Amino acid sequence: MGADVHEDGNGARPGAEFDATESGVDHEFLSLERELTVFLRRARASSGEMARAVHPDLEPAAYGLLARLEECGRQRATELAAYVGVGKATMSRQLRALEDLGLVAREPDPADGRAWLVHLTDEGRANFRQVRDARRATYVRQLAGWDRSEVAELARLLHQLNAGAES
């Protein structure tokens, strides 16, 4: 799928400073770490751009909440907090900001009158989908030279990595 040598983001050639076999570390895991570092750096930058495209005042971290609500529908704040891995206070602050921007709304949970369900507003859903669709079009362009089976394999492996991180 790609070459074995990539930039580390600082212009240095990976592996130039020491030989992985001499240090007792598997080359494959060093390569994995390097590629994930580059990927995550780019993902953070992209997350900010996507958040601003949804709404100029949207925090990058909140974009993931919109994605979760789009995927799963109405959710309790505690479910969202558990999924994202933040506390109730942080989640409450993020949801309040999303409400203030008109992207989400709350309604009483019919199963428990003390709880609230959070959902995307029509504006939130429309803005999110527009940005998500543009991001997918970018993936299609970036991976145009790949076989569909390679794209599917990458998605499968990323799912496996994410599932392993959750357990």
Side-chain angles (χ1 to χ4, degrees):
M1 279 191 301
D4 288 329
V5 178
H6 296 275
E7 283 191 6
D8 68 358
N10 297 321
R13 184 170 170 225
E17 52 292 331
F18 67 96
D19 181 353
T21 56
E22 289 178 18
S23 67
V25 178
D26 292 334
H27 174 72
E28 294 82 3
F29 287 97
L30 287 173
S31 295
L32 174 63
E33 179 183 19
R34 180 178 57 249
E35 296 305 326
L36 284 174
T37 299
V38 172
F39 180 78
L40 292 172
R41 179 179 45 81
R42 289 182 179 152
R44 278 191 296 276
S46 176
S47 178
E49 292 169 12
M50 291 183 306
R52 285 187 298 279
V54 171
H55 191 284
D57 297 327
L58 184 64
E59 293 180 25
Y63 182 86
L65 294 175
L66 300 179
R68 181 67 175 181
L69 290 168
E70 168 67 9
E71 180 183 349
C72 297
R74 289 167 163 72
Q75 299 262 296
R76 287 184 178 188
T78 54
E79 293 171 315
L80 289 168
Y83 175 76
V84 176
V86 299
K88 289 180 186 180
T90 299
M91 182 54 55
S92 180
R93 183 188 60 77
Q94 288 181 339
L95 291 175
R96 195 168 30 259
L98 289 171
E99 280 183 292
D100 291 346
L101 297 175
L103 301 173
V104 302
R106 298 181 205 217
E107 64 186 38
D109 184 344
D112 181 355
R114 300 167 296 166
W116 294 84
L117 294 176
V118 181
H119 63 90
L120 292 173
T121 61
D122 291 341
E123 177 185 0
R125 181 172 285 105
N127 290 1
F128 173 79
R129 285 180 177 173
Q130 182 179 7
V131 171
R132 181 198 57 202
D133 292 348
R135 182 182 61 195
R136 279 197 192 138
T138 299
Y139 292 156
V140 169
R141 283 191 305 277
Q142 288 175 337
L143 302 176
W146 291 33
D147 283 340
R148 288 278 181 150
S149 62
E150 291 175 315
V151 175
E153 180 67 2
L154 176 60
R156 185 190 70 75
L157 290 170
L158 287 171
H159 174 78
Q160 185 175 337
L161 179 66
N162 288 329
E166 289 178 8
S167 45

